[in-house]
Amino acid sequence: MPSAPQYVRVGPTADDGEEVSLLEILDNVLNSGVVIQGSIVLSLAGVDLVYLGLNVVLTSVETALRSIETNENARLKRFPRK
């Protein structure tokens, strides 16, 4: 038996009482894309021992291809091929 959908309150919708499902949030994130960047440095006595860097791009393939196409069209308008 399937479980009931999970809901979270986000942004402006939290004030007006509307509930947003996790699926709707995921759909919005994949349609617009998200970039997550972070870093951690482990040091001992002022000496950096370990550096961990994180760069994550989360988007759908369709959104990424659309973005590439838009950028390519803009570049071709600025520098047309002869």
Side-chain angles (χ1 to χ4, degrees), residues 22-82:
L22 190 55
L23 185 60
E24 290 176 52
I25 294 171
L26 183 61
D27 184 49
N28 191 17
V29 166
L30 290 176
N31 283 333
S32 59
V34 172
V35 176
I36 302 170
Q37 294 181 328
S39 63
I40 296 174
V41 179
L42 299 177
S43 301
L44 183 63
V47 178
D48 294 344
L49 300 176
V50 178
Y51 171 80
L52 299 173
L54 172 70
N55 294 311
V56 177
V57 176
L58 179 61
T59 189
S60 68
V61 173
E62 180 182 346
T63 302
L65 291 175
R66 191 174 359 148
S67 176
I68 291 169
E69 183 179 334
T70 302
N71 290 339
E72 184 66 18
N73 289 340
R75 186 184 67 80
L76 288 175
K77 284 181 182 177
R78 282 184 275 145
F79 306 105
R81 294 181 183 166
K82 295 181 181 184

Side-chain angles (χ1 to χ4, degrees), residues 7-18:
Y7 293 96
V8 291
R9 296 183 185 275
V10 293
T13 59
D15 293 336
D16 60 12
E18 281 189 38

